[in-house]
Amino acid sequence: MGKVAVGVAVIGTAAVVATAALLVRQRMRSSGRWARTRALVKEFEEKCGTPEAKLKQIADAMTVEMHAGLASEGGSKLKMLISFVDNLPTGDEEGVFYALDLGGSNFRVLRVELGGRKRGVVHQEFAEASIPPALMSASSDALFDYIAEKLAEFVADEERIYEQPSGKERELGFTFSFPVMQNSINSGTLIRWTKGFSIDDAVGQDVVAELTKALKRKGVDMRVAALINDTIGTLAGGRHSDPDVTMAVILGTGSNAAYVERAQAIPKWHGPLPKSGEMAINMEWGNFRSSHLPLTEYDYAMDTESLNPGEQIFEKLISGMYLGEILRRVLLSLAEEVWFFGDEIPAKLKIPYILRTPEMSAMHQDISSDLKVVDEKLKSILEISHTSLKKRRVVIELCNIIATRGARLAAAGILGVLKKTGKDTGKGNGEKTMIAMDGGLYEHYTEYRKCLENTVFELLGDTTKSSVVFEHFNDGSGIGAALLAASHSLYLEETS
Ligand code: GLC
């Protein structure tokens, strides 16, 4: 072999060795990263753990707080608000009533025709509008004027098909899904905002008075006959179709529960004892907090940076406004700590609330073999492309950890209410407890819903689980508001 040939061979060998060494180093680095990814995911999963024993402690803590909140105003983080609804619908309600449902970034106006015991809900029509984001932090007048304008449009539209009897004002059930201290069935002051609203001058104001003023300004002739929370509306709507309904749970942007309490078990109620002996209570369970809740550093950071730090801790673990945001935070920390999405941190991943829960749900429920929904969502929302199948699986794993924790905690909350009302142990007499459910999270996030229901049954055990039934009442709260407007109508004598 000549010298030149030997030289080329030596250089060639050296190049091969160098490339091989680079590959080995890269592989070691990537296997190191992968091991670190797995360790981080495992650690997160452990911190989010909700074993049965913990859920039972949480349910007990919920029961204790319910007692405290019923005992005195301010006695607990659970407000346990008295709704002034001491008679749930019977089915006899008749006439045409309106409902206005405001509880998130959309609101709805409904016109409901009630046909009494024989005909039930004869007809309903609705219009929907979104609240422009700027109005969520503007002024009380700006928000209520906007709503009143939409109501005016609805009424103008319907005037072509429906004529309000002369001399009779239109009557409205107003579902206002925020914490309100009721003073009567149709008045109440806003305690604080939740779910991303922050209109300072509305806090402490009577929301019915605010709406009524706006209706006047916009020339809408309408009387607010009932002011209710969405949980109370769902309870009322649910009871109208099934007499076994005694509890309602909303799992949507926010989360909350209402149930029927014995009036005598409400020490802070100083009014006359209702004939029914009962009162519907709006728990505002979103503000529940307990040392048993499995909070992680991501939850603490999300809470600190939220519009309402220190408040609505339970809601921030279980409801639709927050699940996607928790996922974004975990993914961002993987990107920062183990370069999960490559050498650069995807800019979009740094934008709070960009990853919404419906997108998380779509990824979680991706059953395609190459996880193309995950791929597509990462691309379209976060501008992250070329993820490996292995990484997409990690994304699904994280969705599962976050949704499972939320659903199991919500189940513990339900067990707490069942305990308070003595419905957590089967009496073997065939008595049913029907729970009226509503909200987009419950309706659309199937994995979440299944996990929630199965966990309630797991916690109740074999003897009791058959007595508890979940039923989805789509838009129960709208119908419920119309029903309660009917039962508190000024014209009751004429319609009954
Ligand atoms: C928030 C509100 C509450 C409402 C729930 C569901 O928790 O404070 O009033 O019922 O969201 O919409």
Side-chain angles (χ1 to χ4, degrees):
M1 206 185 277
K3 266 190 191 164
V4 174
V6 170
V8 171
V10 169
I11 293 171
T13 315
V16 170
V17 170
T19 317
L22 189 73
L23 276 176
V24 170
R25 254 208 315 277
Q26 266 176 357
R27 226 172 259 154
M28 274 172 58
R29 225 177 45 195
S30 91
S31 78
R33 276 185 198 173
W34 184 247
R36 186 90 189 95
T37 304
R38 293 301 328 150
L40 286 175
V41 172
K42 185 157 178 275
E43 189 190 330
F44 178 61
E45 182 165 29
E46 278 166 13
K47 286 187 185 159
C48 290
T50 49
E52 207 179 295
K54 187 185 262 292
L55 293 182
K56 289 194 167 154
Q57 285 172 320
I58 293 169
D60 287 342
M62 181 70 83
T63 312
V64 168
E65 292 300 323
M66 290 173 75
H67 278 282
L70 290 172
S72 63
E73 228 46 273
S76 161
K77 284 214 152 265
L78 283 191
K79 285 267 167 220
M80 304 298 288
L81 298 166
I82 293 170
S83 67
F84 284 78
V85 173
D86 52 16
N87 261 313
L88 285 167
T90 54
D92 291 331
E93 297 76 9
E94 251 185 300
V96 171
F97 294 90
Y98 296 79
L100 172 62
D101 200 343
L102 171 66
S105 44
N106 287 332
F107 77 95
R108 283 155 66 90
V109 187
L110 287 91
R111 186 167 67 94
V112 183
E113 189 181 338
L114 303 167
R117 191 158 294 275
K118 286 207 191 89
R119 299 192 305 146
V121 177
V122 180
H123 186 72
Q124 54 171 309
E125 260 167 39
F126 72 92
E128 199 161 21
S130 54
I131 308 270
L135 286 189
M136 291 168 71
S137 56
S139 68
S140 179
D141 281 0
L143 175 72
F144 284 108
D145 275 355
Y146 179 77
I147 292 167
E149 264 164 34
K150 297 287 165 194
L151 264 169
E153 282 168 22
F154 185 78
V155 168
D157 256 10
E158 77 162 2
E159 268 165 1
R160 282 185 262 125
I161 48 165
Y162 168 76
E163 201 182 324
Q164 176 74 7
S166 70
K168 253 194 184 179
E169 225 178 338
R170 291 180 163 86
E171 291 187 301
L172 174 81
F174 181 17
T175 308
F176 183 71
S177 306
F178 299 95
V180 164
M181 181 66 72
Q182 303 252 167
N183 303 314
S184 68
I185 184 64
N186 64 352
S187 69
T189 55
L190 174 63
I191 299 173
R192 59 167 182 268
W193 290 105
T194 51
K195 300 180 282 196
F197 279 70
S198 64
I199 306 169
D200 291 347
D201 69 342
V203 176
Q205 298 300 318
D206 184 324
V207 287
V208 172
E210 293 297 292
L211 175 63
T212 308
K213 278 189 276 173
L215 289 173
K216 282 227 167 67
R217 285 196 290 269
K218 300 293 167 190
V220 186
D221 189 18
M222 211 177 247
R223 165 184 178 264
V224 180
L227 168 69
I228 57 166
N229 183 261
D230 51 356
T231 51
I232 299 288
T234 304
L235 185 63
R239 173 67 71 90
H240 184 249
S241 27
D242 193 318
D244 289 333
V245 169
T246 51
M247 177 179 178
V249 176
I250 302 284
L251 285 156
T253 306
S255 177
N256 191 9
Y259 73 105
V260 178
E261 182 57 278
R262 285 180 305 115
Q264 275 170 330
I266 315 175
K268 70 178 178 184
W269 169 250
H270 301 300
L273 205 62
K275 271 206 209 90
S276 64
E278 293 180 333
M279 178 66 80
I281 298 291
N282 162 19
M283 292 177 61
E284 285 295 328
W285 85 2
N287 202 34
F288 171 68
R289 186 171 196 161
S290 149
S291 58
H292 301 296
L293 291 175
L295 291 162
T296 68
E297 62 270 34
Y298 305 103
D299 304 299
Y300 287 117
M302 180 177 76
D303 175 47
T304 309
E305 291 161 32
S306 70
L307 283 172
N308 50 354
E311 285 168 13
Q312 304 294 106
I313 299 298
F314 193 51
E315 179 160 277
K316 286 173 181 162
L317 285 165
I318 67 175
S319 84
M321 176 157 173
Y322 303 101
L323 299 184
E325 171 62 4
I326 301 171
L327 174 64
R328 181 196 69 83
R329 286 172 177 269
V330 182
L331 289 175
L332 178 60
S333 100
L334 285 183
E336 287 169 345
E337 289 186 32
V338 291
W339 306 108
F340 190 69
F341 294 115
D343 291 342
E344 287 194 9
I345 295 167
K348 291 264 162 134
L349 197 51
K350 295 184 187 157
I351 304 175
Y353 296 93
I354 193 172
L355 196 51
R356 294 165 53 251
T357 304
E359 320 291 357
M360 164 178 167
S361 151
M363 294 198 282
H364 191 175
Q365 294 167 156
D366 184 358
I367 48 162
S368 64
S369 57
D370 55 348
L371 302 182
K372 58 171 166 297
V373 179
V374 179
D375 183 43
E376 190 269 311
K377 295 287 175 200
L378 291 177
K379 259 191 219 140
S380 62
I381 305 161
L382 301 170
E383 292 175 1
I384 299 173
S385 7
H386 310 301
T387 45
S388 64
L389 191 55
K390 202 155 95 168
K391 290 195 174 169
R392 290 179 215 164
R393 286 210 186 97
V394 171
V395 175
I396 295 198
E397 211 178 327
L398 294 173
C399 294
N400 192 46
I401 296 171
I402 296 165
T404 303
R405 179 183 67 166
R408 287 180 64 83
L409 291 176
I414 292 176
L415 179 67
V417 183
L418 293 175
K419 278 187 164 214
K420 171 71 182 73
T421 46
K423 294 179 191 298
D424 61 319
T425 49
K427 300 196 175 64
N429 57 2
E431 200 182 286
K432 286 257 175 278
T433 302
M434 189 75 103
I435 307 182
M437 307 292 297
D438 202 5
L441 181 64
Y442 180 81
E443 185 177 354
H444 302 296
Y445 202 152
T446 316
E447 289 296 322
Y448 184 105
R449 184 181 58 229
K450 281 194 295 195
C451 177
L452 167 96
E453 296 182 355
N454 290 339
T455 307
V456 170
F457 297 142
E458 168 195 329
L459 293 170
L460 286 173
D462 286 343
T463 45
T464 313
K465 71 178 190 196
S466 55
S467 66
V468 171
V469 183
F470 290 92
E471 187 146 1
H472 179 212
F473 286 97
N474 202 357
D475 200 29
S477 80
I479 302 283
L483 287 163
L484 290 168
S487 51
H488 295 90
S489 164
L490 273 186
Y491 315 105
L492 217 48
E493 298 302 306
E494 298 165 35
T495 50
S496 59

